[in-house]
Amino acid sequence: MRTKTDEQQIRAVGKQFQVHGRFLRAFPIGKGHINDTYAADYDYGGRTVRYVHQTINHHVFPDPAKVMENIDRVTSHKRSLLVRSEDPDAGRKTLTVIPTRDDKLFFLNDAGTFWRTYIFIDRAETFDTIASLDQARQVAGAYGGFQSLLVDLPGERLHETIPNFHHARMRYDCLMDAVEKDSQNRAAVAASDIEWVMEREDNVDVLLDLVNQGVLPERITHNDTKLNNVMIDDTTGKAICVVDLDTVMPGSVLYDFGDMVRTATSPALEDERDISKVTMQIDMFDALVDGYWQSSKGFLCDVERDHLAFSGKLLALMIGIRFLTDHLEGDVYFKTHRPDHNLDRARNQFQLVRSMEEQEQAMHAVVAERCV
Ligand code: GN1
Ligand code: MG
């Protein structure tokens, strides 16, 4: 999809930012379900420098300015810590926002599209399925480290850019609404999936009850801790940088840990149709707990630690619910690339929930053994 129009559009967008080299080329990168992402190369006196130009989907994020304010605060904080510790690789260890020519954090073009620009992190890549136990440890350590560095972020509470983002009860109720409306006449085909979810309704209130009791703390969290939102250094195999900071906002660390379990323990992609390939691999879970605990034990409370195993199941269930809801509503939220794509994704996630239900005891045993 590298068309002339695309390239011309990206070139025009690039001109709005404090990118001063000569435009060479642009091409799409990234596999997100929400935003469009491009890499663009610029020539600076014979040296090629790469940037990322990315849209902010304002249907999903109604206030892109607040998204960018959150990202700016978090990345600036991280950068100042890296600089203070004289880290020689500081430039690759956090996203760097490039402002527009008039010093704004984003640009709104005539077509009504919001754009932002980052420095491209080179010599690193992301993985859609987990490659090794060490990689699982790395990814978990990176997200734990990210949370840890935000424990003492100075200033006001971050903006809640998508209110109730991980509110499982609200997600469940939205599914029930979609079933009732059945605007696309798709509920009959998914009847057994819907019933399966309803049998698991109890799960949706577990963490919310703890929040209401005041025992599960609010922290600053990433909220989209997929395996492929951590960049892994090409040479060392170490996690170098946590990316996709759109949903950085107040939340529970359990949502972050759970989303990591959901995406880093299954050997299959999130939209794999052959669900016999979908399984929660307990050795990967063990590596995640190990990596996460090493980087979070300094701040994690007992209630958080005691719900690490549950959080994986909850997040797989919740994202599955969101995919199924979007399927019933006509695929209006997540990008789809084939018919029934969201239904396939939902069934894949439900299979992962079943796999975790079967291994619940073993998961708790891992946490008990590792987190001491
Ligand atoms: C979306 O940004 P992206 O595509 O990685 C979604 C996440 C889901 C994920 C499922 C803002 O993430 O919540 O877990 O898809 N982001 C938003 O793959 O809804
Ligand atoms: Mg995202």
Side-chain angles (χ1 to χ4, degrees):
M1 84 144 187
R2 190 177 158 190
T3 63
K4 199 88 203 135
T5 339
D6 263 354
E7 224 168 30
Q8 277 164 2
Q9 190 195 10
I10 301 304
R11 182 187 193 138
V13 164
K15 282 190 178 147
Q16 301 298 324
F17 290 88
Q18 293 181 31
V19 170
H20 302 289
R22 182 173 60 86
F23 178 88
L24 294 174
R25 67 187 81 83
F27 49 94
I29 55 167
K31 302 191 184 104
H33 300 335
I34 307 289
N35 301 316
D36 297 323
T37 311
Y38 299 85
D41 291 339
Y42 293 82
D43 175 77
Y44 283 75
R47 197 166 56 90
T48 302
V49 178
R50 184 167 285 180
Y51 292 89
V52 173
H53 300 306
Q54 189 181 44
T55 63
I56 312 172
N57 182 331
H58 64 278
H59 302 291
V60 168
F61 298 98
D63 195 339
K66 290 195 169 140
V67 171
M68 291 311 293
E69 276 176 36
N70 281 356
I71 293 176
D72 188 45
R73 278 184 59 196
V74 165
T75 54
S76 302
H77 182 63
K78 174 140 197 207
R79 187 166 316 97
S80 67
L81 296 177
L82 287 166
V83 168
R84 206 178 306 154
S85 65
E86 298 185 12
D87 192 313
D89 215 5
R92 292 169 72 233
K93 289 191 175 167
T94 177
L95 284 177
T96 304
V97 179
I98 301 293
T100 63
R101 289 184 185 248
D102 52 357
D103 276 324
K104 304 251 166 46
L105 298 171
F106 64 90
F107 163 64
L108 174 61
N109 73 7
D110 293 340
T113 307
F114 291 83
W115 290 88
R116 59 351 216 332
T117 295
Y118 295 114
I119 294 177
F120 183 88
I121 297 173
D122 64 356
R123 291 169 286 126
E125 63 175 320
T126 58
F127 289 76
D128 295 325
T129 52
I130 193 78
S132 66
L133 293 172
D134 187 53
Q135 194 179 78
R137 230 170 261 120
Q138 284 294 320
V139 167
Y143 281 127
F146 183 80
Q147 293 168 347
S148 161
L149 108 126
L150 295 174
V151 162
D152 57 357
L153 181 78
E156 287 168 22
R157 187 173 183 259
L158 289 185
H159 305 296
E160 223 175 305
T161 47
I162 305 182
N164 299 322
F165 188 56
H166 284 312
H167 197 293
R169 167 54 61 187
M170 191 202 78
R171 298 295 188 184
Y172 182 91
D173 290 348
C174 287
L175 173 63
M176 293 303 121
D177 278 355
V179 172
E180 184 150 343
K181 290 200 184 83
D182 197 15
S183 63
Q184 313 294 312
N185 290 317
R186 290 177 173 179
V189 173
S192 58
D193 304 283
I194 296 162
E195 199 179 314
W196 182 91
V197 171
M198 290 169 75
E199 284 163 12
R200 283 156 182 80
E201 183 180 355
D202 285 356
N203 290 291
V204 305
D205 294 316
V206 173
L207 298 188
L208 295 166
D209 287 349
L210 296 172
V211 170
N212 290 335
Q213 288 159 28
V215 293
L216 181 59
E218 175 181 290
R219 302 189 189 277
I220 299 172
T221 49
H222 181 283
N223 294 304
D224 191 10
T225 50
K226 305 207 296 200
L227 167 64
N228 65 10
N229 278 334
V230 175
M231 301 205 71
I232 304 288
D233 186 280
D234 289 344
T235 320
T236 63
K238 302 234 177 289
I240 185 103
C241 187
V242 167
V243 299
D244 188 359
L245 305 180
D246 287 350
T247 46
V248 164
M249 58 180 152
S252 161
V253 293
L254 292 173
Y255 301 137
D256 279 4
F257 186 79
D259 214 4
M260 211 166 23
V261 173
R262 175 183 88 75
T263 54
T265 63
S266 172
L269 290 174
E270 178 184 77
D271 61 352
E272 170 62 58
R273 273 199 188 110
D274 178 357
I275 59 167
S276 70
K277 295 185 180 152
V278 177
T279 169
M280 195 288 298
Q281 302 175 97
I282 194 77
D283 57 341
M284 289 298 170
F285 179 76
D286 178 69
L288 288 178
V289 172
D290 186 21
Y292 185 68
W293 179 247
Q294 293 312 324
S295 59
S296 69
K297 61 184 169 193
F299 67 86
L300 220 61
C301 73
D302 291 355
V303 172
E304 290 169 323
R305 186 200 55 205
D306 294 346
H307 289 82
L308 289 175
F310 172 75
S311 72
K313 184 173 74 166
L314 179 71
L315 266 285
L317 179 64
M318 180 153 50
I319 308 287
I321 287 175
R322 291 174 60 198
F323 287 144
L324 183 54
T325 307
D326 199 32
H327 174 71
L328 297 178
E329 290 179 340
D331 308 310
V332 290
Y333 187 93
F334 297 105
K335 286 183 202 167
T336 52
H337 307 292
R338 59 181 194 237
D340 291 343
H341 203 163
N342 274 315
L343 181 61
D344 292 342
R345 289 173 178 146
R347 288 179 170 161
N348 174 307
Q349 293 302 294
F350 296 156
Q351 175 59 30
L352 194 54
V353 172
R354 282 189 288 274
S355 177
M356 288 193 245
E357 285 173 347
E358 284 159 15
Q359 300 179 80
E360 206 152 329
Q361 292 311 318
M363 292 173 84
H364 282 291
V366 164
V367 174
E369 193 177 317
R370 288 283 183 194
C371 304
V372 282

